[in-house]
Amino acid sequence: MPTIGVDKAELFRALGQQYSTDEFDELCFEFGIELDEDTSNSERPVVNGKQEPAQLKIEIPANRYDMLCFEGISLMLNIFRGKTESPNYRLIAPPNGELQSITVHQETSRIRPYASGAVLHNIKFTQERYESFIALQDKLHQNLARQRTLVAIGTHDLDSIKGPFTYEALPPDQIKFKPLNQSTEMNGVELMKFYEASDVYPVIYDSQRIVCSLPPVINGNHSKISTKTRNVFIETTATDKTKVEIVINILVAMFSQYTEEPFTVEPVKIISSHNHESRQTPDLTPRSTQAEISYINDCCGLSLSASEICELLKRMSYHASPSRSSPDLIDVHIPPTRADVLHQADIMEDVAIAYGFNNLPRSFPSKSGTVAQPLLVNKLGDIVRIEAAMAGWSEVMPLILCSHDENFAWLNRKDNGNIAVKLANPKTAEYQVVRTSLLPGLLKTIRENKHHSVPIKVFEVSDVAFKDESLERKSRNERHFAAAWYSKTSGFEVVHGLLDRIMLMLKSAFITAEEGLEGSDVEGYWIEETDDPTFFPGHAADVYLRMNGKTQVIGVFGILKPNVLENFELRSVLISPSSLAPSTKEYFDLKDGMLTASLFLRYPVSTLELNLEVFL
């Protein structure tokens, strides 16, 4: 969660009350935020011979973008405490009656297609307000705007530029302007080299072709704001249509309280006919929705009336009233700063906060909304896990992501493009796909522990994933069991024995040839030799299961091929001359009785993998 530092004395002055640290901590808890630190209780730095004023560092929930500044925190706490009414944000016409406009050119569609704007007229900045205004922009850029990749904010002194404005996309050599806080004019190529930015060149001009900004990189120095600025022109450009409106709404709502007529904003006309985005911004109209009284009461364990719920919502900056359409509904008007309210569950949460967490009734689990019990697939996995551990095998937990080669090529398997779930933008070659087999993780575990004594017997019970176009999410999980044996002998019979033990505990009997494998109704499992490229020919078998009249392959086990072991670097035993028997020395490259090269032995590995979900 973001942490906001506010001046302690200024905040208490805005709240109209002095608090001790414990009292303010309790107020924060009641409102659903958290006091992280009160710096008045610690040493503070001295700047220019003056000690830094005491600060309150407050953790804000990640969804409350309207509280990322001093103004939002003080306003919301005052509304919560009943000291002030929820603001009525209004759009007003400029003194000359002509709205500022931004014309969006079609070329911007391939870079940052959306734009929005607003004007704060006759605003009064102090140094503290100015710093808070800049800090809010930074917080919005870092959080909601994802480091300016989704939204970029530009703020300008309207008295230094002249509308109408245009939002264009031009070749870099056609763009010249003086960047913010720089004294030299640069063209686009020099600017991108100076700021080491990407090769994109959106630009906002005023009517005199003065560059206001190059979003999302930098604003122009010509129109920079200061504490003396009285009229602020705000423009936002974005790749996300929803977030561009959220950002502009929060910014103007928080600082419109400092305009000559509080909580008023001058709108800006957006002309964007090529993508049908022409409109007037910002839209500060409260969103209307409804919430069920029974739902709110059931979730909170209360028996509140419609009017009581409306009074509680008033403390959380809503406007609410009993609905005329149904006695079980209330009509709720959500303020433009609360983009996080998406469902009546969010309204219910605010009712609970306003009522008081400590005031909610406490009850025994008999009145709980859920009954805890394990999922069947997890219970099945635990049964198999316990049996494998009791048989002397060690459980491991490798990562669920692996490289494409580890999942396919290193196991001599081919990818037809319709099997594995792939990451769209993997950060490293190690994590490219979601595994479709548990074997890569087991073999990498053995590789990192091959210096231990043998045999190494490891197993894993976990999920693999496959593409599945028939499902809405386009993929599905499968719970698998896998085991690997690494020793001086192949261990084929050991892995086979583990298979028999697991199947016995799953109440599946082994079917012999005498009982009839074909055309029989006998339920159970059997094995048949298979030609799997991962395993030695003649040393691998598929596991067949007949259950509920259905026969299917549920797994495979066998001895891995040498090239698979080489891929996973499973060779580690150095042969020294002294360890060679006299009868074997003629088979090695010796010179004067000495080894001329390092020799390694490769221990065999046998593996088993089963799909457990067929037993559910």
Side-chain angles (χ1 to χ4, degrees):
M1 295 190 296
T3 300
I4 309 300
V6 296
D7 187 295
K8 180 177 180 179
E10 287 296 323
L11 180 61
F12 289 174
R13 190 177 296 115
L15 297 178
Q17 183 177 341
Q18 295 297 314
Y19 291 91
S20 67
T21 301
D22 290 339
E23 289 172 342
F24 187 72
D25 187 24
E26 182 64 23
L27 174 62
C28 289
F29 172 79
E30 290 175 357
F31 188 70
I33 58 180
E34 183 177 347
L35 177 62
D36 187 52
E37 182 184 359
D38 182 353
T39 63
S40 61
N41 302 324
S42 58
E43 287 294 327
R44 304 191 299 279
V46 176
V47 180
N48 297 326
K50 186 178 181 181
Q51 190 176 40
E52 181 185 79
Q55 284 196 330
L56 297 171
K57 296 184 178 181
I58 304 172
E59 282 193 6
I60 305 298
N63 61 318
R64 291 302 300 266
Y65 305 112
D66 57 321
M67 297 184 68
L68 291 176
C69 60
F70 171 89
E71 288 71 18
I73 294 173
S74 60
L75 177 63
M76 293 304 142
L77 288 179
N78 273 329
I79 295 173
F80 178 73
R81 294 159 60 244
K83 299 296 184 180
T84 187
E85 296 288 331
S86 181
N88 178 26
Y89 300 103
R90 295 185 298 113
L91 298 180
I92 60 171
N96 62 4
E98 185 177 349
L99 296 180
Q100 297 290 349
S101 66
I102 302 176
T103 301
V104 182
H105 288 210
Q106 187 171 356
E107 293 78 15
T108 61
S109 296
R110 63 185 182 89
I111 304 172
R112 302 175 74 83
Y114 305 109
S116 184
V119 174
L120 293 176
H121 184 66
N122 279 335
I123 190 170
K124 295 180 181 179
F125 279 130
T126 62
Q127 185 62 36
E128 292 75 18
R129 294 174 183 179
Y130 172 80
E131 291 175 356
S132 181
F133 187 60
I134 300 301
L136 176 59
Q137 294 177 59
D138 289 339
K139 290 292 184 182
L140 290 173
H141 278 146
Q142 293 168 18
N143 294 278
L144 185 62
R146 296 292 187 268
Q147 303 293 344
R148 292 183 172 86
T149 57
L150 300 181
V151 185
I153 308 167
T155 54
H156 312 276
D157 187 338
L158 186 58
D159 296 328
S160 66
I161 50 180
K162 185 178 181 181
F165 301 90
T166 57
Y167 175 38
E168 308 175 27
L170 297 176
D173 54 359
Q174 296 182 19
I175 305 171
K176 288 190 176 183
F177 88 126
K178 190 183 296 183
L180 186 64
N181 298 326
Q182 299 298 319
S183 57
T184 306
E185 189 176 76
M186 304 179 184
N187 64 29
V189 175
E190 294 169 334
L191 180 74
M192 293 304 168
K193 190 179 296 183
F194 182 79
Y195 285 102
E196 299 181 351
S198 59
D199 188 22
V200 292
Y201 303 90
V203 57
I204 293 180
Y205 286 105
D206 76 347
S207 61
Q208 299 174 334
R209 302 301 288 176
I210 295 174
V211 176
C212 298
S213 67
L214 260 71
V217 183
I218 192 72
N219 290 338
N221 194 63
H222 179 86
S223 59
K224 69 177 181 181
I225 65 172
S226 67
T227 54
K228 298 179 180 179
T229 299
R230 293 302 308 274
N231 299 297
V232 179
F233 172 65
I234 305 170
E235 43 84 4
T236 57
T237 58
T239 58
D240 189 295
K241 182 179 177 180
T242 301
K243 287 184 171 57
V244 71
E245 306 297 349
I246 296 174
V247 166
I248 196 75
N249 285 354
I250 290 174
L251 195 58
V252 298
M254 293 301 101
F255 285 87
S256 60
Q257 61 183 285
Y258 298 136
T259 57
E260 191 172 57
E261 189 178 350
F263 303 112
T264 58
V265 180
E266 289 182 14
V268 169
K269 186 189 302 181
I270 305 298
I271 303 171
S272 185
S273 56
H274 66 277
N275 59 358
H276 309 291
E277 289 296 326
S278 297
R279 65 203 188 281
Q280 181 177 288
T281 64
D283 182 6
L284 299 178
T285 307
R287 291 181 291 130
S288 297
T289 188
Q290 291 183 318
E292 297 173 350
I293 298 173
S294 57
Y295 172 82
I296 294 172
N297 282 328
D298 288 345
C299 290
C300 298
L302 303 172
S303 300
L304 300 175
S305 65
S307 58
E308 289 173 324
I309 292 176
C310 293
E311 281 299 313
L312 291 174
L313 288 174
K314 187 177 178 181
R315 297 183 63 194
M316 303 303 293
S317 195
Y318 294 87
H319 292 283
S321 59
S323 176
R324 295 181 180 180
S325 60
S326 170
D328 192 42
L329 294 175
I330 55 173
D331 296 324
V332 182
H333 300 286
I334 304 168
T337 55
R338 293 298 304 276
D340 60 297
V341 179
L342 305 175
H343 187 270
Q344 65 174 349
D346 301 307
I347 298 172
M348 175 274 297
E349 180 185 7
D350 281 340
V351 170
I353 292 173
Y355 188 83
F357 291 128
N358 291 330
N359 298 326
L360 293 174
R362 302 183 183 186
S363 60
F364 286 100
S366 61
K367 293 188 178 181
S368 173
T370 61
V371 178
Q373 60 181 350
L375 295 173
L376 291 179
V377 67
N378 290 337
K379 192 171 184 178
L380 174 63
D382 288 342
I383 293 173
V384 175
R385 186 177 286 114
I386 292 172
E387 288 304 318
M390 292 176 65
W393 295 68
S394 300
E395 184 177 12
V396 297
M397 298 179 68
L399 299 176
I400 197 170
L401 298 179
C402 63
S403 73
H404 186 274
D405 284 345
E406 289 170 350
N407 197 71
F408 292 102
W410 289 12
L411 294 175
N412 297 332
R413 296 173 180 175
K414 294 183 178 180
D415 179 16
N416 61 11
N418 299 318
I419 302 174
V421 177
K422 301 177 182 178
L423 274 67
N425 185 27
K427 298 302 181 184
T428 70
E430 290 182 276
Y431 310 120
Q432 296 174 317
V433 300
V434 182
R435 61 187 178 183
T436 60
S437 168
L438 299 182
L439 296 187
L442 292 179
L443 296 178
K444 287 193 291 184
T445 301
I446 294 175
R447 179 186 67 196
E448 301 304 322
N449 293 275
K450 60 189 177 185
H451 58 281
H452 289 291
S453 60
V454 293
I456 295 176
K457 303 188 293 181
V458 293
F459 77 93
E460 182 183 8
V461 180
S462 191
D463 281 357
V464 297
F466 299 96
K467 283 186 178 179
D468 192 338
E469 294 296 329
S470 65
L471 300 177
E472 182 181 5
R473 62 183 180 275
K474 306 301 180 184
S475 66
R476 60 182 171 85
N477 284 16
E478 267 188 15
R479 186 64 53 88
H480 279 204
F481 166 80
W485 164 282
Y486 174 76
S487 187
K488 297 178 181 179
T489 60
S490 69
F492 182 85
E493 71 284 358
V494 180
V495 169
H496 191 178
L498 178 63
L499 167 67
D500 291 340
R501 177 60 184 170
I502 296 298
M503 298 302 285
L504 177 63
M505 293 308 300
L506 294 175
K507 298 183 179 180
S508 294
F510 183 74
I511 303 175
T512 62
E514 291 77 11
E515 294 172 309
L517 301 180
E518 299 293 337
S520 173
D521 293 332
V522 178
E523 293 194 347
Y525 77 99
W526 68 92
I527 61 174
E528 292 184 13
E529 183 180 337
T530 185
D531 184 18
D532 191 309
T534 305
F535 303 99
F536 261 122
H539 293 77
D542 284 331
V543 181
Y544 285 80
L545 177 70
R546 184 184 296 131
M547 180 180 290
N548 299 325
K550 183 179 180 181
T551 301
Q552 55 187 314
V553 177
I554 65 167
V556 62
F557 70 101
I559 305 173
L560 297 180
K561 282 184 175 179
N563 73 312
V564 174
L565 303 182
E566 189 70 26
N567 290 335
F568 286 94
E569 302 176 14
L570 293 180
R571 54 183 181 88
S572 61
V573 183
L574 176 65
I575 302 178
S576 64
S578 60
S579 66
L580 294 175
S583 60
T584 63
K585 291 190 177 184
E586 61 183 279
Y587 296 104
F588 296 92
D589 185 13
L590 300 177
K591 186 176 181 180
D592 297 330
M594 300 297 292
L595 286 171
T596 60
S598 297
L599 296 178
F600 291 88
L601 287 180
R602 185 184 296 113
Y603 283 163
V605 177
S606 292
T607 64
L608 161 69
E609 184 163 13
L610 296 174
N611 176 14
L612 296 180
E613 296 200 2
V614 297
F615 295 97
L616 294 176

